[in-house]
Amino acid sequence: MNENKKRLIARFAVDRGDRFEILTRFEGETIQRERIEHQEAKAPSLMPRYPAAVWFERKIMEDFGIRFEGAFDTRPLLHHERWPEGVHPMRRDFDPDTVLEEAPYRPYRYATVGGEGVFEVAVGPIHAGIIEPGHFHFSQAGEDMLHQEVRHFYKYRGIEKSCEGKSLTEAAPIVARISGNESVAAQIALARIAERASDTQTPTPQRARQALLLELERIIHHWTDLGFIPNDAGFAAALAYASARAEEARRLMAALTGHRFGFDAIFSGTEDWDKATINAWIERNFEAIEWFESWITDIPSLWDRMDTTGILKRAEALRYGCVGVMARASGLERDVRMSDPFYTERGFAAALEESGDVAARFKIRIAEIKASLELMRRFAEEAEAEPYRIAEPRDGAYDAFVESSLGELYLYMELEAGKITRLFFRDPSFVNWQALPTLMPGNIIADFPLINKSCDLSYAGNDL
Amino acid sequence: MFRYWQRRFKTGVLTENPQLDERLSDLRKRLKKGIAKHFAGSLAIRMVDSGSCNACEAECNALSNPYYDLERLGIRFVASPRHADVMLLSGVLTFNMLPHVLDAWEQIPEPKWCITLGDCPVLQSPIERTFAVKGPAGEHLPVAYHIPGCPPSPEAILEGLVGFLESMED
Ligand code: SF4
């Protein structure tokens, strides 16, 4: 495995009317643009070199009707069994209000493993429990998972298309609702783009406000997982404790923004913040996470389940370009905050673990709550309760990265006369979902929920 | 585990917000009464997400945290639609989810009720109806009750469930 191979961040296309353009973003580089003729809509595939290109390119095939030469997987991704054929919604001439009629059922061919005694288990899209819909297809040898395919996009809502023709202000409430557990992050990404498009700089007190809310969102997310992960290993007491802390964090979010998830909070709300309340909450939560850690570390039966379960190998994390908790638990220091002086100047250092198993991801979440609380202490001193006001943007193409509670979130936009002509949103989960099947071989299917939960990926953000 | 119980006894019962607690306790009473009357003391809900942003699910999950503790009122979120009385539907009804939602609905034994949760299924949230969205839930399912909000808070969901029970005929 060549460690120096570039990381593929995103690959997507734009319809320019008379031609297509495929845009590819690698880490540390500017966007590469390939021109594709409408008549002869095909491009060389990156799939053989970059496994994460598989979903990016399958999405482009359906969004635009572009073909990829050398692509080994051309099955439909977003367009499920009843989609009418030949409909490419991201083309310019496609009307977003089109009412699509169901076409005759075309079965989807799952990637499976054959062999004597091997059987398949299909799970979802509707799961047992209060979870988002998605499909997992397992090839089993008894209890052992030989192979898994993740099939998603049940929640495909056509959000990229619906943002076209809107101003940044009009699109903001939609962007805030792409994925509820990373709403603040998505809003901040939009604010960064608005900032670049108007040549302005957000003053420090306002950035500190945004950053404080972002860390609070992360804390809510991690507390939720710290309860659900042990719960999936049969240890319900942790859920009772951690879900109460998540609830308190949500109530702080509501006190600061008027909304329990901080929807629309980056762009609205003017009330003064009561810093004493924030600080008292931070100290209580510090005490809580330290107590939780000392308590949970002492439960051997729980660690028995978490240790060596669902390992994401460092080499696989590199190959797929994983981000967020999944990457950091496998020894890769991938965190947008590490390349932002606003964080590093305030003493931020990303948490890292090496073993890549459920236990490592669990420990990362504990460490990150502490780190986020430290950051919140600093931001609370500097923040002013002043929302961000979107200024008149210049035409152009802009992008932004934000470290959401799930990892690196990437937002790209093109603006013309104050309106969005193309919006591309790559959720951190879009990459991580593709790497998830590599965690399964060597594990039993009963551990799948535990492994899946330890990664806690977004379906809504992925499907869009 | 010893540490847990030590702490549990030291801390006792916590109240964070007295007004909220008072409202919740009133809602709990009315819920319990309605469930006893119409569902013999136990209401089974199958939550189905047909294209949400996941916040509506998060708030349903929050109902089980110690602050709301829904289970002790006789409400259970069940895994199989065949065990359910009510389908709680969140999110916009997407093109890709519609057949699966209808499947789940069909599997719920009669008598059954569909409650829409949050602004999405009735197309009142900022998420718009596009080519990938199959219109308001009411066009495809007999919706008995709607709980508004984006997302409805756990308290609003409880209120909604009370409203649903109180709207039922005797
Ligand atoms: S109603 Fe609001 S919170 Fe609920 S799924 Fe829709 S956008 Fe999310």
Side-chain angles (χ1 to χ4, degrees):
Chain A
M1 175 65 218
N2 175 11
E3 293 238 339
N4 297 321
K5 193 160 86 174
K6 298 179 288 188
R7 178 168 69 97
L8 174 65
I9 292 172
R11 183 157 162 86
F12 53 100
V14 182
D15 187 351
R16 302 252 174 257
D18 55 342
R19 68 200 142 88
F20 296 117
E21 214 170 74
I22 295 181
L23 287 73
T24 310
R25 184 81 146 95
F26 287 103
E27 183 168 38
E29 293 181 3
T30 52
I31 295 175
Q32 297 177 10
R33 294 163 191 274
E34 292 163 71
R35 186 193 166 108
I36 312 280
E37 295 312 319
H38 258 184
Q39 311 311 333
E40 188 77 15
K42 58 174 199 245
S45 170
L46 291 185
M47 283 186 197
R49 265 179 71 72
Y50 297 93
V54 172
W55 281 14
F56 284 119
E57 291 183 358
R58 283 167 72 189
K59 184 164 148 56
I60 296 172
M61 291 179 208
E62 289 170 315
D63 278 347
F64 295 93
I66 296 172
R67 286 182 299 118
F68 287 92
E69 290 176 311
F72 52 78
D73 189 350
T74 56
R75 294 172 300 163
L77 185 75
L78 283 62
H79 298 176
H80 285 191
E81 286 87 348
R82 296 167 184 86
W83 264 84
E85 262 176 291
V87 172
H88 304 298
M90 292 305 289
R91 286 196 177 184
R92 258 197 196 182
D93 57 9
F94 180 83
D95 175 2
D97 298 325
T98 306
V99 177
L100 294 181
E101 295 303 331
E102 276 82 357
Y105 185 92
R106 273 167 295 127
Y108 179 81
R109 280 180 299 106
Y110 286 96
T112 56
V113 172
E116 201 181 313
V118 176
F119 59 94
E120 292 168 35
V121 177
V123 183
I126 300 179
H127 299 282
I130 307 176
I131 346 174
E132 302 181 72
H135 185 89
F136 304 111
H137 208 90
F138 301 91
S139 298
Q140 293 288 129
E143 293 277 283
D144 295 324
M145 294 185 271
L146 297 180
H147 177 76
Q148 180 208 23
E149 177 171 356
V150 175
R151 187 181 181 212
H152 278 330
F153 302 94
Y154 290 90
K155 312 186 84 170
Y156 172 42
R157 291 161 285 171
I159 286 181
E160 284 173 299
K161 187 78 176 186
S162 76
C163 287
E164 292 180 1
K166 292 191 165 53
S167 69
L168 291 174
T169 310
E170 288 162 344
I174 300 178
V175 170
R177 286 162 182 80
I178 292 174
S179 181
N181 50 5
E182 28 182 0
S183 172
V184 171
Q187 292 174 61
I188 292 176
L190 185 88
R192 287 287 90 75
I193 283 177
E195 191 180 46
R196 270 166 217 159
S198 59
D199 285 319
T200 51
Q201 261 222 314
T202 312
T204 300
Q206 251 180 306
R207 264 219 81 179
R209 174 185 186 267
Q210 298 177 356
L212 182 139
L213 295 177
L214 182 62
E215 293 315 310
L216 182 55
E217 181 173 72
R218 193 181 328 277
I219 290 171
I220 296 171
H221 188 89
H222 285 342
W223 269 122
T224 306
D225 288 337
L226 290 179
F228 276 117
I229 296 165
N231 192 57
D232 271 342
F235 189 61
L239 179 60
Y241 186 82
S243 65
R245 304 294 83 78
E247 174 68 22
E248 288 153 12
R250 245 193 226 309
R251 289 182 183 186
L252 180 66
M253 182 66 94
L256 297 181
T257 68
H259 192 283
R260 282 166 57 88
F261 293 75
F263 283 7
D264 310 324
I266 297 302
F267 308 104
S268 61
T270 45
E271 269 176 53
D272 258 350
W273 280 0
D274 175 10
K275 301 244 167 114
T277 309
I278 304 178
N279 288 327
W281 181 90
I282 292 173
E283 298 319 316
R284 272 207 311 283
N285 211 267
F286 245 122
E287 204 251 333
I289 189 64
E290 271 170 3
W291 182 81
F292 180 83
E293 186 179 23
S294 69
W295 170 52
I296 207 101
T297 309
D298 255 7
I299 315 276
S301 57
L302 175 65
W303 294 92
D304 251 9
R305 289 287 304 280
M306 299 201 296
D307 284 329
T308 69
T309 303
I311 294 174
L312 170 64
K313 293 198 191 84
R314 188 171 189 276
E316 293 294 353
L318 274 171
R319 230 160 57 83
Y320 279 89
C322 288
V323 293
V325 168
M326 268 173 93
R328 295 194 286 274
S330 295
L332 298 185
E333 194 186 81
R334 286 212 177 123
D335 191 316
V336 178
R337 293 171 295 174
M338 288 304 285
S339 52
D340 185 346
F342 192 78
Y343 289 91
T344 48
E345 280 166 8
R346 285 161 181 79
F348 175 75
L352 272 188
E353 288 283 337
E354 297 294 330
S355 56
D357 51 4
V358 173
R361 290 185 285 278
F362 189 78
K363 285 190 259 182
I364 288 271
R365 295 186 193 279
I366 293 178
E368 291 195 356
I369 289 184
K370 292 186 197 165
S372 293
L373 287 167
E374 294 278 8
L375 285 173
M376 278 181 74
R377 264 187 194 149
R378 296 291 303 266
F379 297 148
E381 278 170 31
E382 300 169 81
E384 262 167 41
E386 174 76 16
Y388 183 83
R389 308 259 174 241
I390 295 172
E392 198 53 44
R394 267 183 303 116
D395 287 2
Y398 310 91
D399 61 4
F401 292 93
V402 176
E403 187 68 24
S404 88
S405 46
L406 286 99
E408 173 202 84
L409 180 156
Y410 177 68
L411 182 64
Y412 171 91
M413 264 193 228
E414 291 186 7
L415 294 162
E416 245 177 76
K419 303 282 186 213
I420 297 167
T421 50
R422 176 76 168 107
L423 177 147
F424 174 80
F425 177 93
R426 198 232 52 205
D427 193 274
S429 305
F430 190 89
V431 190
N432 286 352
W433 275 123
Q434 297 191 70
L436 191 73
T438 72
L439 277 64
M440 303 309 154
N443 291 273
I444 59 169
I445 194 164
D447 274 337
F448 171 70
L450 177 66
I451 299 169
N452 193 29
K453 199 66 208 172
S454 73
C455 301
D456 195 14
L457 307 177
S458 172
Y459 302 63
N462 178 74
D463 298 359
L464 211 57
Chain B
M1 244 0 237
F2 178 65
R3 243 183 271 194
Y4 178 76
W5 292 109
Q6 218 178 10
R7 188 180 173 94
R8 177 77 184 73
F9 288 120
K10 251 201 326 229
T11 325
V13 176
L14 288 175
T15 43
E16 207 193 38
N17 179 338
Q19 289 104 348
L20 176 63
D21 285 349
E22 208 174 290
R23 284 202 307 273
L24 284 177
S25 99
D26 172 57
L27 284 173
R28 282 201 191 98
K29 268 189 221 129
R30 288 159 65 197
L31 256 179
K32 229 177 164 160
K33 206 170 125 208
I35 294 171
K37 188 165 155 196
H38 298 289
F39 293 96
S42 141
L43 176 64
I45 300 177
R46 174 62 243 206
M47 166 110 211
V48 176
D49 167 0
S50 63
S52 79
C53 75
N54 73 34
C56 276
E57 282 65 58
E59 292 299 53
C60 273
N61 272 322
L63 281 172
S64 301
N65 78 40
Y67 281 97
Y68 304 99
D69 204 5
L70 193 70
E71 290 234 354
R72 71 172 182 197
L73 304 176
I75 298 180
R76 276 181 321 124
F77 284 98
V78 293
S80 169
R82 295 185 187 166
H83 301 156
D85 304 302
V86 161
M87 180 163 93
L88 196 57
L89 189 73
S90 69
V92 289
L93 202 45
T94 63
F95 189 99
N96 286 343
M97 269 310 279
L98 178 64
H100 306 287
V101 170
L102 295 179
D103 270 357
W105 175 248
E106 221 163 82
Q107 296 298 319
I108 302 179
E110 295 279 356
K112 56 184 167 187
W113 294 265
C114 174
I115 301 178
T116 44
L117 179 73
D119 296 343
C120 270
V122 292
L123 295 179
Q124 298 288 323
S125 82
I127 301 299
E128 291 174 359
R129 177 177 193 159
T130 63
F131 55 93
V133 172
K134 289 300 278 184
E139 278 180 17
H140 306 274
L141 291 156
V143 177
Y145 201 80
H146 173 63
I147 303 175
C150 184
S153 65
E155 193 193 349
I157 301 175
L158 290 179
E159 249 169 51
L161 291 175
V162 169
F164 160 68
L165 290 165
E166 294 181 352
S167 76
M168 289 177 81
E169 284 166 22
D170 286 318

